[in-house]
Amino acid sequence: MPYKLGEVILSREVIAQRVKELAGEIARDADKDKGLVVVGILTGAAFFLTDLVRELPEYLDVRVDFMSVASYGDSTKTSGVVRIFHDLKSSIEGKNVIVVEDIVDSGLTLSHLLGLLENRNPASLKVCVLLDKYERRQTEVKVDYCGFRIEDKFVVGYGLDCAGMWRHLKDIKYVIEE
Ligand code: 5GP
């Protein structure tokens, strides 16, 4: 195998603490009468989303839905044009929506996806990402809640994979090419 695991960049304790803080920010900003639809982008963000929503207060009406998308392009570059494999179960029209993504890199996938969701006329559309590789941005994308800004190195764990592997790691680690 050409890859091996490198050092931990974000430990499970650091992640858990930040997830609590993000949930606090989201709850503080939420419209208590309207509730929230939390949309996870499969597969990576499912891990983050399930921890995040469990930190939201009981009094908020929180709904969870998932989408599975893939962007056209080759294995190293995303074109940003996304194809929906699995769509939301419920309409988001008139709802307050937060899209939860594991990592934003060039921003192309997320910005195309947000365009798609915006067309469905939600009352509001916000973005929460666990990791932001801000140096790599090719298009502006509005990130309302960000866990950590990280440098441009490939990471795995806590939902993030490398060719399907290592999603299950509790810590986020660098990958070393051998
Ligand atoms: P972009 O923002 O470039 O359109 O694409 C973001 C997607 O690239 C993420 O959803 C993720 O699948 C993948 N990605 C970008 N950087 C990393 C990384 O460091 N590790 C992993 N596992 N995936 C990454």
Side-chain angles (χ1 to χ4, degrees):
M1 192 173 51
Y3 302 108
K4 70 175 195 197
L5 287 173
E7 60 179 292
V8 174
I9 71 152
L10 295 164
S11 69
R12 62 199 74 181
E13 294 82 11
V14 167
I15 297 168
Q17 177 56 34
R18 188 71 189 117
V19 169
K20 268 193 195 144
E21 291 168 5
L22 287 172
E25 289 174 36
I26 292 170
R28 188 200 57 208
D29 297 346
D31 177 342
K32 282 145 200 82
D33 301 324
K34 262 200 138 191
L36 275 181
V37 181
V38 183
V39 170
I41 310 305
L42 294 171
T43 305
F47 298 69
F48 171 40
L49 180 146
T50 55
D51 284 345
L52 183 70
V53 294
R54 283 178 291 173
E55 295 295 342
L56 290 171
E58 269 184 23
Y59 64 77
L60 263 189
D61 179 358
V62 177
R63 311 288 166 117
V64 173
D65 210 337
F66 287 98
M67 258 182 126
S68 172
V69 300
S71 52
Y72 290 106
D74 59 36
S75 55
T76 55
K77 269 197 215 131
T78 54
S79 66
V81 179
V82 296
R83 182 173 143 208
I84 299 176
F85 281 120
H86 171 86
D87 208 341
L88 298 174
K89 281 204 178 128
S90 308
S91 162
I92 55 166
E93 190 168 350
K95 306 273 171 67
N96 288 330
V97 177
I98 298 195
V99 174
V100 173
E101 180 55 306
D102 49 8
I103 186 164
V104 56
D105 187 22
S106 69
L108 293 171
T109 310
L110 198 51
S111 85
H112 188 86
L113 180 67
L114 291 174
L116 248 153
L117 294 176
E118 200 67 72
N119 283 338
R120 300 182 184 184
N121 300 316
S124 68
L125 187 59
K126 288 186 175 176
V127 174
C128 176
V129 298
L130 181 65
L131 306 175
D132 184 356
K133 277 191 186 169
Y134 60 99
E135 294 165 310
R136 301 239 318 156
R137 201 70 90 252
Q138 285 177 36
T139 181
E140 208 178 304
V141 51
K142 181 182 68 94
V143 174
D144 301 277
Y145 306 98
C146 169
F148 305 92
R149 298 181 97 198
I150 61 165
E151 57 181 310
D152 178 19
K153 284 189 183 168
F154 201 79
V155 295
V156 292
Y158 198 65
L160 290 149
D161 74 311
C162 175
M165 287 187 310
W166 295 322
R167 285 194 202 279
H168 66 296
L169 307 182
K170 285 189 173 168
D171 306 304
I172 295 180
K173 297 186 168 192
Y174 285 128
V175 169
I176 301 165
E177 256 183 84
E178 296 201 295

